[in-house]
Every structure is written in C-alpha cells, then in structure tokens.
C-alpha cells in the first residue's frame, strides 16, 4: 500500500513535467496565445516545483509524511482540474503554479513514506528502485501520452487524467499508518527570496525574448532577480536554520555535480520543448505523431540507468559521467543539421543521443554527490541536486524560447539553442574531468 501510493504520486509528478510539452501548439491555438504564454505553461510548473523543493522536506518532517503527501495529492488533483477547465492562459498558468507547489510537497513526502514503510534496509533498497523506475517510466511516457490524449480527446485531458490516478493514490494512502512528526524548522526568508529570484529571472528572460531586453519592465525584473538572489545567499550564510547549507559547496564535487545536473536537464527539457514545436508547427505532425517521435529517445532511459550504475561501480562515476555528457553534446550538435525537410524518423533518431547521454550520466552523478557528503546531509544534498536540475529545465525553456522568438527564423533559433546546450555540456564535461580520481570525498564540517 505504501509503495503503491508513493509510486503513483511520483509518477504523476514526473509525468506532468513533460506531458504538456507536446500539447503546446494545441493549447496555443485553443487559447490564442503566443510563444511567451506557452513558455509559462511549462515553466509555471517547473519553476515553483524547483523553488519549493528545498523547504518541502522540512515541512514533510514537521507535519508528518502521510499528512503532507495526502495534502499535496489533494491540491495537485484540484489544480489539475483547474488546468483542464481553464478558460484562458492566465488561469492555466496560475493552476500550473499551484500544481508545481503541490508536486514539491509530494516529492520528499513520497520518499519518506517509502522509508517509513520499509524499515528493513534490503527491502527498502528494492522499494526505492521500484519507486525510481516509476519516475523513469513517466518521463518516457510523457510525450507519448500527451500526444495521444491531445490528438484523441483534446489537450484538456492531459490534466483530467490526473484525477483518477490521484483518487487511487489517496485510496491507497488511507490504509497507510500515520507518520511521526519530527522537529524541523522552516527557512521563511530563504524560501521567499528563492521564489522571487527564480520567478523574476524567468519572467525577465521570457518577456525579454518576446518583446526585447531593453524594456523597462524586463530590466526591473532582472534587477529584482539579482537582488533577491543576493538576499537569498545572505540568508543562507547568516541564518540559524538555512534550507541550503552553503558549507556543502566547499567541495568541488558538490559544486560540479550541481552544475552538471543543471546542464543535463537544460539540454533534455529544452530539446523536448523545441522539437515538440518543430514537429508540429514546422512539419505539420499531429500531437500523437509528435509524441511517438520521442519514443526512441525516452524508451532507453530505464535500461541505460541500470547500465550506468554498473559502469560506475566498476570504473568509478567519472567514466559514465564524462561519456554521457559527450554523447549528449554530440547529439545536440547533430540536431543542428535538421532542416525544413529532414525525414522525421531521422529527427527521432538524432534525438536519441540526448536522452542516452542524460540516462548514462545521472545515476553516476547522484552516486558521486552522495559519496561526497556525510550521511546526515544526504537528503539535503539530494534535494539540492533535484532543485538544480529543475531550475535547469525551467531556464532552458525560457532561454530557448527567447532564441526562437529573437532569431530570424524558427530553424535558426532552434540551431542556436542546440549549440548553446552543446557548449554547456562540453564545459561541464571539462569540469567533471577536473575532479580528482576517486572523487567523492566528504565535505569537511558540512
């Protein structure tokens, strides 16, 4: 019961990060919105999810994992219904923001429930592996399910489909024992400044790409982002109970892990965003056909994740990390050759290395990070990594959309986006190679 409830919630969280992407052209036509509005449909979810992730774990401990998870599920279902019923882009984006906040509460609570339900270490390890596969399957299924629902019954059903799954998860949760409440302090100043900084930055990039970076409102937004980020760092340095302990970053391993995670998600989510639009707006594919085009890229994720873990165990984490990033960068460069008449199955094949590179890198990256911190900091380190990855996806959608809007043609903007992402992965590969062999030494005093 515990694993079923936790798995369903994690599946929904992961699914909603990608299921909407293939439906964007239909949403744009239905609601009469342009590129900036569509960017907010994606980033509204990812942005709040990332911004609240760090403090959501403390909230889960404070009120109990079962209660936090149940509350998050109810809010997620209500927000999904609001998304499906949205009469305009404003309501849709607002509901997506609420969805992202609910997902942030559910994420750490679901893993805490698994830990609570499986006190035996060996059984818990197997349960966590199943839980992880649920997320991987959701990521793989997202574009396909989104395309199928959009093409058959309309884009609103990509949100309505969450309701029966959420009800089933709640029914399972009702049979799970209550969770203990643990003392945990919330960092209110850090949380508020983090939300303001990320929101202002995303707004500045999206609106700047759409209407020009010289507009006063865009400049003010970017300035607010800088000031809020500085206030956040000051709060973390001086606060008694910071949600992001800065001593973690004394280790080059931790810093490099975070940058690599950011860039991997930027390349993956940014690529899915751009090519969903390319396949439908430039090539005339239906939402279903566009979703099918992503199957070759996403289908290998779970299998390659397992292979990465074995390679890391045998050769150390640097080898699969470096290989994965280089494979991803090569795939992005290859995608710059895509033109207005490239065979769509060739496009699907060229996207495979991007997904392959991420799947090869992430398990080894996670293991490297967790080896570098003390056991009592593992949860915080994992939350930091996941936050960095979600921020990468959100910023990529904003930046790539700005490139599409600012370039002379869609294809020019698409190629610039691929080159920027490839350059980023080359730089993070160099950073990975700079780590000493046997990296993973723990952070002193963390």
């Amino acid at each position: 019961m515990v694993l079923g409830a936790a798995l369903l919630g994690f599946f929904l969280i992961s699914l909603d990060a990608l299921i909407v992407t293939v439906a964007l052209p239909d949403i744009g036509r239905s609601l009469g919105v342009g590129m900036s509005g569509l960017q907010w449909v994606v980033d509204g979810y990812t942005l709040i999810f990332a911004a609240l992730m760090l403090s959501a774990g403390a909230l889960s401990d404070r009120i109990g994992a079962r209660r936090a998870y149940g509350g998050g599920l109810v809010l997620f279902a209500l927000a999904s219904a609001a998304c499906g019923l949205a009469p305009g882009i404003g309501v849709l984006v607002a509901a997506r923001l609420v969805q992202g906040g609910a997902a942030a509460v559910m994420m750490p609570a679901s893993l805490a429930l698994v830990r609570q339900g499986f006190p035996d270490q060996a059984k818990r390890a197997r349960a966590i592996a199943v839980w992880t596969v649920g997320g991987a399957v959701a990521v793989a299924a997202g574009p396909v399910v989104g395309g199928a629902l959009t093409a058959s019954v309309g884009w609103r059903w990509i949100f309505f489909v969450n309701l029966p799954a959420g009800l089933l998860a709640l029914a399972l949760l009702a049979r799970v024992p209550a969770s203990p409440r643990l003392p945990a302090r919330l960092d209110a100043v850090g949380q508020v400044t983090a939300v303001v900084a990320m929101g202002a930055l995303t707004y500045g990039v999206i609106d700047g790409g759409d209407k020009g970076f010289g507009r006063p409102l865009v400049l003010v937004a970017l300035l607010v982002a800088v000031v809020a980020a500085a206030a956040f760092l000051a709060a973390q340095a001086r606060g008694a109970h910071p949600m992001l302990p800065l001593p973690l970053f004394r280790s080059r391993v931790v810093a490099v892990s975070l940058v690599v995670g950011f860039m991997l998600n930027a390349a993956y989510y940014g690529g899915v965003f751009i090519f969903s639009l390319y396949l439908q707006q430039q090539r005339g594919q239906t939402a279903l056909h566009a979703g099918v085009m992503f199957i070759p890229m996403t289908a290998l994720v779970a299998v390659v994740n397992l292979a990465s873990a074995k390679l890391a165990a045998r050769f150390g984490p640097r080898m699969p990390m470096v290989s994965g990033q280089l494979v991803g960068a090569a795939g992005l460069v290859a995608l710059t050759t895509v033109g207005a008449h490239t065979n769509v199955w060739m496009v699907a094949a060229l996207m495979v290395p991007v997904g392959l590179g991420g799947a090869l890198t992430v398990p080894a990256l996670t293991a490297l990070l967790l080896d570098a911190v003390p056991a009592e900091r593992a949860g915080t380190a994992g939350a930091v990594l996941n936050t960095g990855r979600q921020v990468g996806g959100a910023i990529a959608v904003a930046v790539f959309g700005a490139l599409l809007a600012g370039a002379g043609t869609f294809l020019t903007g698409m190629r610039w986006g691929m080159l920027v992402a490839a350059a980023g992965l080359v730089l993070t590969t160099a950073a990975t190679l700079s780590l000493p062999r046997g990296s993973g030494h723990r952070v002193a005093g963390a």
Side-chain angles (χ1 to χ4, degrees), residues 245-333:
L246 296 182
L248 281 175
F249 295 93
R250 292 174 185 166
S251 167
R252 189 161 26 135
V253 172
V254 174
V256 168
S257 297
L258 183 60
V259 172
V260 172
F262 175 97
M263 201 60 238
L264 285 171
N265 264 40
Y268 185 84
Y269 283 89
V272 172
F273 172 74
I274 283 183
F275 279 94
S276 293
L277 297 175
Y278 165 80
L279 289 167
Q280 294 178 75
Q281 294 183 346
Q282 303 296 310
R283 303 302 304 275
Q285 299 288 306
T286 66
L288 175 59
H289 290 156
V292 169
M293 292 296 103
F294 288 101
I295 291 178
M297 179 178 75
T298 59
L300 295 174
V301 170
V303 175
V304 177
N305 276 344
L306 296 175
S308 172
K310 292 180 180 179
L311 288 171
R314 183 169 182 180
F315 301 105
R318 282 207 330 170
M319 192 276 276
M321 283 179 63
V322 169
S323 302
Q325 291 173 84
L326 290 177
V327 167
L332 291 164
V333 171

Side-chain angles (χ1 to χ4, degrees), residues 67-155:
R67 179 175 294 182
Y69 189 65
L73 265 173
V74 170
L75 188 60
F76 190 88
L78 292 174
S80 297
C83 286
L85 296 170
I89 189 63
V91 174
L92 178 57
V93 171
R96 286 287 282 172
L97 290 168
V98 176
Q99 255 195 331
V105 174
M106 290 165 60
M107 184 75 160
S110 68
L111 193 53
L113 281 175
V114 174
R115 185 176 181 85
Q116 170 189 327
F118 295 88
D120 178 77
Q121 185 176 11
K123 292 181 179 179
R124 183 167 65 246
R126 290 195 293 272
I128 290 175
V130 173
W131 180 84
T132 305
V133 169
V137 170
V139 170
V144 183
V145 173
L149 289 172
T150 301
S152 58
V153 290
W155 65 265

Side-chain angles (χ1 to χ4, degrees), residues 327-409:
V327 167
L332 291 164
V333 171
L335 285 169
T336 63
T337 64
V338 171
H341 304 290
T342 305
N343 183 283
V344 290
W345 285 107
M346 177 61 71
V347 177
L350 290 174
M351 288 191 288
V352 169
V354 179
L356 188 68
L360 192 60
T361 305
V362 170
L365 166 68
T366 306
L368 179 73
L369 175 66
L370 294 181
D371 283 346
V373 299
E376 63 271 18
R377 288 292 195 195
T380 300
V384 169
L385 176 60
N386 283 320
T387 298
R389 292 180 63 194
Q390 294 300 324
V391 172
I395 297 301
V397 170
V399 171
F400 288 7
L403 290 172
L404 291 177
T409 65

Side-chain angles (χ1 to χ4, degrees), residues 414-426:
M414 181 182 77
R415 287 165 181 156
W416 272 112
M418 296 302 98
L419 287 174
V420 168
L425 282 178
V426 170

